[in-house]
């Protein structure tokens, strides 16, 4: 009777369909620590896996890596994807020109075209076309309006100097 060597043994999982691992709400390793970290109430678990929000809090981004394991709850309708910390890269810092462009874009969304006030929240310009106080005819409360003036509007080209008049000497 020949006994197969240990090298010949193969572990066969009859229930493995080749899909990635998926853990239920309470089935993931360290599930309680992960839930606490998702809520921001605890440290990042020692598993080396974190969510996108936790990466962002650490100043990191996924860096092109694919998510490893989802944490699934609410019958599969909600998922939290986990990324490996060691493959994450530092998040990019925007240049001053990019920050200025973003500020101009937000100023366009937050500035009323009628009264030229800039608000802290974006205005319903597509539906109303102006801010709520201009639409309803009252003064805005001081805590909703930014104190510095909105950038000057440049609809018309700047005036150019007139050509010199005279005999051309």
């Amino acid at each position: 009777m020949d006994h197969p060597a240990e090298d010949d043994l193969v572990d066969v999982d009859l229930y493995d369909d080749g899909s990635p691992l998926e853990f239920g709400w309470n089935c993931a390793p360290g599930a309680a620590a992960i839930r606490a970290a998702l809520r921001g109430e605890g440290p990042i678990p020692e598993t080396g896996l974190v969510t996108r929000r936790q990466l962002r809090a650490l100043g990191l981004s996924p860096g092109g890596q694919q998510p490893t394991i989802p944490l699934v709850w609410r019958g599969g309708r909600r998922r939290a994807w986990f990324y490996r910390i060691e493959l994450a890269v530092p998040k990019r810092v925007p240049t001053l020109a990019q920050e200025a462009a973003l500020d101009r874009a937000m100023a366009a969304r937050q500035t009323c075209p009628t009264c030229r006030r800039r608000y802290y929240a974006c205005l319903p310009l597509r539906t109303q076309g102006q801010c709520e106080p201009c639409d309803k005819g009252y003064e805005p409360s001081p805590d909703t309006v930014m104190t510095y003036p909105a950038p000057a509007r440049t609809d018309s080209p700047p005036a150019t100097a007139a050509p010199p008049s005279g005999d051309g000497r």
Side-chain angles (χ1 to χ4, degrees):
M1 214 187 227
D2 289 74
H3 293 288
E6 287 186 33
D7 296 338
D8 297 329
L9 295 178
V10 178
D11 184 17
V12 177
D13 187 359
L14 299 175
Y15 301 103
D16 184 14
D17 59 355
S19 63
L21 289 175
E22 192 172 274
F23 291 112
W25 183 243
N26 288 323
C27 300
I34 292 170
R35 282 197 308 272
L38 282 172
R39 291 189 306 265
E41 297 173 358
I44 297 170
E46 298 297 323
T47 60
L49 299 174
V50 292
T51 61
R52 257 188 177 313
R53 188 172 289 188
Q54 291 168 332
L55 280 176
R56 186 63 64 182
L58 292 171
L60 301 171
S61 69
Q65 66 171 307
Q66 296 297 317
T68 56
I69 298 174
L71 178 65
V72 181
W73 70 96
R74 291 192 182 167
R77 292 185 310 239
R78 296 291 307 249
R79 292 176 188 266
W81 291 97
F82 288 100
Y83 298 89
R84 294 174 51 194
I85 292 180
E86 62 270 8
L87 297 178
V89 295
K91 64 180 176 180
R92 296 183 339 183
V93 178
T95 63
L96 290 177
Q98 288 173 328
E99 286 184 359
L102 288 172
D103 187 50
R104 285 192 305 270
M106 288 306 294
R109 296 178 65 195
Q110 296 170 339
T111 303
C112 175
T114 307
C115 64
R116 307 297 306 150
R117 291 186 187 108
R118 183 170 176 185
Y119 290 83
Y120 288 107
C122 293
L123 300 175
L125 297 178
R126 286 188 183 180
T127 55
Q128 279 182 248
Q130 56 191 356
C131 64
E132 183 85 11
C134 288
D135 193 43
K136 304 287 189 230
Y138 62 87
E139 282 296 314
S141 64
D143 59 339
T144 60
V145 180
M146 294 186 186
T147 56
Y148 57 91
R153 194 168 183 177
T154 57
D155 286 341
S156 60
T160 58
S165 62
D167 54 359
R169 288 186 200 180

